[in-house]
Amino acid sequence: MTFESGSPREFTLSSSHKMIGGVCGGIAEYFDWDVNIVRLATVAGAVLTGGTVVLIYLAALMLIPRRP
């Protein structure tokens, strides 16, 4: 993966696209995707996997750093 500035971007929780914890917003900002698509995919994944995505979301919420 190439980056415009030559160095990788930091993956952080979003403070501007935050509904619950900012995980979906952080993913959307990092990959330059629409945040609503990421949220829909998260909800669909949670339903289809019987809640496994919810556990992954909670783990990401605890492990991904917030922006300073």
Side-chain angles (χ1 to χ4, degrees):
M1 179 179 245
T2 59
F3 299 96
E4 294 173 9
S5 65
S7 63
R9 295 176 286 178
E10 185 178 4
F11 184 59
T12 59
L13 297 175
S14 176
S15 57
S16 59
H17 296 107
K18 181 177 174 180
M19 285 191 88
I20 297 174
V23 175
C24 292
I27 292 170
E29 288 175 0
Y30 186 80
F31 291 108
D32 197 28
W33 294 342
D34 183 24
V35 68
N36 293 317
I37 303 263
V38 176
R39 288 179 182 144
L40 284 173
T42 302
V43 170
V47 170
L48 293 173
T49 63
T52 304
V53 172
V54 174
L55 296 175
I56 294 170
Y57 184 93
L58 293 173
L61 184 59
M62 290 185 278
L63 296 173
I64 298 172
R66 297 192 185 277
R67 284 194 191 140

